[in-house]
Amino acid sequence: MWYFRPSFKKITNNTLLAHITVSDGSPWFSGHFPDDPILPGIAQLNMAAEVISIARQENLCIKRLSRVKFKKRIRPGDRLEIHASATEANLYTFRITSEAQDVCSGVMCLAATTASDKSIMTIAIDQTITRVAEIIINELKLEDVTPTTFNPDLDLVDEVGIDSMDLATIALVIRDEFGIRIDEDDYPTLTTVRIIAAYIDQRKNGAE
Amino acid sequence: MTVGTASTATCKFTDIIADPLIRERWDKVRRYFFLRESTYDMTNRCNIRCEGCYYFTGEKQFALENRDEDAWRQLMAAEKERGITFAVLAGAEPSLVPRLCRICSENIPLGAIATNGLKAIPRETDYRIHISVWGSDSTSKEIRKADCMLARQMDNYRDDPRAAFVYTFTPFNIDEARQITDTLAEGGQQITFNMFSAPVGYTGPLRHTAESLARTREVMAGLLADYPQTVLFSWYNIVAHTSDRGLHDLFSCTYPRMNASTAIGLGRSFRQYRTDLKWDRDAACCVPDTDCADCRHYAAGSAVVTARMYRHAINVESFAAWLDYVDTYLAVWVRGYTKGANLLTYPVAPPGSNQPPTPL
Ligand code: SF4
Ligand code: SF4
């Protein structure tokens, strides 16, 4: 991801608030624009949809947009809040704010992605999920499960039974393979394969 | 003596464990990653009264004593169910309640008992037995008010593979450690080292100073070099336990008392039960009522340093130091585990510390 890992401050069934920071190193800024970096509107919308996807732990894509307004520019390093609330299944009103000012708002209709409409980013994340599952299977010598059948949303501590030393070993294999550092302080947050994959993705994209 | 400064450059983990010696040791220690400990105070009685005793400090000494064997059986079954695989039986003096110790070992087969060694614990309880030594007999007499301690302790645990003597260094017994080690070596016993760590509020003379830490370091190094078969310790143990900085400052203690997270590791699973079979997360660590700033306790290091594998996997030297520490920990705590030769014969600085350890 080209922004720091969202931290969810409030999640109910229908509403969420996520805090994120846009990475200085985001590729969006290199061409948009070389001497005047601004986050494109499509990136803002994609960010809102991804945050909802992460909160719901589902792969979702935007099917329809309405009443979208862009009010403030987003610069590298800006800290943002994403507010979203579901008015009906998969229909969200969303608002991005920065320093208490509106940046962007609107309504988006989301739908589960199918193989044909997966974005390159989603495919990349899926590959990371499969690889992380494979690392865990190898390191823990798990039987009766393959990287593709491993449920990426299983709680690794409660449902798979891994402990801190296992996680440290897995973190070292990930460090070697993906060239990223995993802070020991982050271990408690790395609770599922999907979350680990998202973490790797953020780190790889410079959101250190 | 050479002092290694931990490099900041990070090597790949696969390259670090490509070294055959490191690989062999790594494969040996990782088989024990399943160990999950909790600690149990067995009785609030002791047959002696030592100055600076951490048990008779704070609230836990006032907990009522539960001697109901069924209650202990149920507790141990529940502990096993919760994933505890290693029981540490401690305060005040477990040898006074041998049947309760036995119940613990019947339910959780791996464990250790901290005892003053004046009363033998029956062999049926097949845990590692840590026998505390606080100096020569005359020093013990003065601080622990007990006569001929070492001879009585050795008699009780002669030819007993469960026994590991734990010598606690205070500022006043540093030079007595050689004689004790020599006597234990002659008796075919093993010794490991502990550091007096002040209880909260303790202002007495046993608290270590920079000078006593430096002298302890020298003595430990000499004993490690001269008695490799008898001394269960490593150069990295010396670094970790005799630094001016305490263990928490060096490695960030992971026990619940200092770690708010309940997500994984000790913060999630560790409990310290008092004699009434209750526990309090806010006080839970292996040495409750010890002043964290002064904590250099061997039991604390065994969890705190051991848990920090990731930060030591930065180069061969740091990782070898960590492996020596873990190999020592397992040899001291786990029955049947045999310590290998230390991989390093010199001290290296803990990762992230800006200064090398004080030269030995
Ligand atoms: S033997 Fe142990 S429990 Fe008993 S008084 Fe001494 S230090 Fe305390
Ligand atoms: S006394 Fe030692 S082991 Fe206990 S919480 Fe403090 S630093 Fe950790």
Side-chain angles (χ1 to χ4, degrees):
Chain A
M1 275 185 219
W2 39 271
Y3 49 83
F4 282 137
R5 178 169 40 115
S7 75
F8 294 95
K9 292 289 177 213
K10 191 179 82 180
I11 306 172
T12 66
N13 282 348
N14 296 323
T15 64
L16 72 88
L17 167 62
H19 294 266
I20 64 171
T21 304
V22 179
S23 167
D24 290 355
S26 163
W28 288 111
F29 293 124
S30 52
H32 192 272
F33 300 91
D35 296 321
D36 185 19
I38 299 168
L39 193 68
I42 184 66
Q44 298 177 37
L45 299 171
N46 185 46
M47 193 162 62
E50 276 189 355
V51 163
I52 296 168
S53 296
I54 292 170
R56 283 179 44 174
Q57 303 196 340
E58 287 174 67
N59 288 327
L60 301 167
C61 61
I62 300 171
K63 280 289 173 201
R64 209 173 52 244
L65 289 160
S66 59
R67 299 204 299 273
V68 174
K69 291 189 184 119
F70 297 101
K71 296 176 183 160
K72 187 175 183 286
R73 292 174 175 185
I74 299 178
R75 300 288 189 183
D78 275 359
R79 297 166 73 86
L80 307 172
E81 297 85 44
I82 298 181
H83 315 250
S85 56
T87 49
E88 55 190 81
N90 291 341
L91 192 65
Y92 283 83
T93 57
F94 70 93
R95 197 158 58 92
I96 302 176
T97 56
S98 175
E99 294 175 347
Q101 288 182 298
D102 279 353
V103 170
C104 163
S105 61
V107 176
M108 61 174 59
C109 179
L110 301 172
T113 50
T114 61
S116 60
D117 61 11
K118 275 186 177 177
S119 68
I120 288 171
M121 204 175 276
T122 314
I123 290 167
I125 265 278
D126 283 354
Q127 284 171 348
T128 311
I129 285 173
T130 309
R131 181 59 192 135
V132 171
E134 191 174 18
I135 290 169
I136 289 173
I137 290 166
N138 290 343
E139 290 305 318
L140 270 58
K141 304 202 171 20
L142 299 180
E143 289 169 0
D144 304 328
V145 66
T146 68
T148 44
T149 61
F150 195 107
N151 177 352
D153 300 313
L154 275 185
D155 188 296
L156 292 172
V157 176
D158 283 340
E159 293 172 287
V160 182
I162 81 168
D163 198 16
S164 52
M165 298 303 283
D166 302 319
L167 191 55
T169 310
I170 291 160
L172 287 170
V173 178
I174 288 172
R175 187 184 78 184
D176 275 9
E177 184 159 333
F178 295 96
I180 58 151
R181 222 195 110 63
I182 298 184
D183 291 335
E184 285 171 330
D185 291 344
D186 289 340
Y187 286 4
T189 65
L190 302 176
T191 49
T192 69
V193 165
R194 190 185 303 283
I195 290 171
I196 295 175
Y199 184 97
I200 291 169
D201 212 47
Q202 287 159 36
R203 293 278 162 141
K204 272 199 328 196
N205 288 297
E208 288 279 340
Chain B
M1 185 163 294
T2 327
V3 174
T5 312
S7 153
T8 48
T10 300
C11 303
K12 279 193 150 198
F13 186 56
T14 40
D15 293 338
I16 293 172
I17 57 171
D19 179 311
L21 278 178
I22 301 265
R23 176 86 221 189
E24 181 264 321
R25 193 59 55 86
W26 161 245
D27 286 338
K28 183 183 173 202
V29 304
R30 72 180 299 197
R31 285 200 285 274
Y32 290 85
F33 280 6
F34 70 90
L35 294 178
R36 285 175 207 182
E37 60 149 325
S38 275
T39 301
Y40 309 86
D41 282 345
M42 306 302 292
T43 166
N44 52 25
R45 291 164 289 143
C46 185
N47 42 5
I48 53 175
R49 194 55 62 100
C50 312
E51 183 183 337
C53 164
Y54 96 95
Y55 183 79
F56 292 109
T57 303
E59 286 298 306
K60 62 189 176 307
Q61 61 180 310
F62 304 115
L64 291 177
E65 194 174 299
N66 188 331
R67 296 189 207 172
D68 175 1
E69 294 184 9
D70 281 340
W72 276 90
R73 234 172 247 115
Q74 275 169 21
L75 172 71
M76 284 297 134
E79 288 293 275
K80 189 175 177 183
E81 182 64 29
R82 180 172 90 69
I84 296 304
T85 52
F86 195 90
V88 179
L89 314 187
E93 180 44 56
S95 66
L96 303 183
V97 287
R99 286 184 60 84
L100 298 185
C101 296
R102 173 94 187 263
I103 288 168
C104 296
S105 70
E106 282 167 354
N107 283 276
I108 299 180
L110 290 174
I113 303 178
T115 174
N116 59 34
L118 295 178
K119 184 170 183 285
I121 294 168
R123 291 255 181 154
E124 302 87 71
T125 300
D126 196 21
Y127 277 3
R128 202 71 162 117
I129 299 210
H130 291 179
I131 303 153
S132 61
V133 183
W134 287 34
S136 68
D137 280 355
S138 62
T139 302
S140 289
K141 172 91 178 127
E142 201 177 311
I143 294 183
R144 315 188 76 181
K145 287 114 197 148
D147 288 317
C148 307
M149 274 203 85
L150 190 63
R152 290 158 69 192
Q153 292 168 321
M154 287 179 74
D155 268 354
N156 284 335
Y157 289 98
R158 194 165 303 286
D159 298 326
D160 190 333
R162 299 174 304 165
F165 287 74
V166 180
Y167 188 92
T168 297
F169 281 87
T170 72
F172 300 104
N173 66 9
I174 298 168
D175 298 325
E176 296 162 18
R178 181 165 284 273
Q179 179 57 51
I180 299 284
T181 306
D182 197 57
T183 308
L184 289 171
E186 275 177 21
Q189 296 285 6
Q190 290 182 312
I191 189 172
T192 191
F193 301 137
N194 183 28
M195 295 296 286
F196 179 79
S197 303
V200 174
Y202 176 81
T203 52
L206 297 180
R207 189 183 273 265
H208 277 284
T209 62
E211 186 271 334
S212 69
L213 290 169
R215 277 200 299 129
T216 303
R217 197 175 302 139
E218 253 175 57
V219 169
M220 284 178 171
L223 295 176
L224 181 55
D226 295 345
Y227 297 92
Q229 302 305 321
T230 303
V231 172
L232 297 173
F233 224 54
S234 77
W235 297 91
Y236 199 52
N237 286 69
I238 301 178
V239 169
H241 291 269
T242 65
S243 165
D244 290 351
R245 297 165 66 194
L247 286 168
H248 176 60
D249 194 21
L250 282 174
F251 299 103
S252 296
C253 177
T254 44
Y255 277 109
R257 200 173 143 208
M258 292 298 272
N259 169 15
S261 169
T262 56
I264 195 166
L266 281 178
R268 178 183 180 85
S269 59
F270 180 84
R271 292 181 184 175
Q272 195 271 328
Y273 284 90
R274 298 171 179 197
T275 49
D276 57 5
L277 310 191
K278 296 194 176 108
W279 73 288
D280 170 8
R281 192 178 192 284
D282 293 339
C285 83
C286 57
V287 278
D289 300 307
T290 297
D291 176 0
C292 294
D294 196 53
C295 178
R296 297 182 182 83
H297 201 276
Y298 81 114
S302 294
V304 175
V305 183
T306 303
R308 296 307 187 187
M309 174 175 80
Y310 187 91
R311 68 173 69 175
H312 286 89
I314 47 173
N315 54 45
V316 170
E317 204 173 50
S318 274
F319 198 62
W322 180 83
L323 284 171
D324 278 345
Y325 194 100
V326 178
D327 194 43
T328 302
Y329 148 68
L330 292 169
V332 168
W333 291 85
V334 179
R335 272 278 290 124
Y337 183 94
T338 307
K339 178 160 170 30
N342 284 321
L343 298 168
L344 293 187
T345 52
Y346 56 89
V348 295
S353 57
N354 297 326
Q355 296 164 341
T358 312
L360 298 173

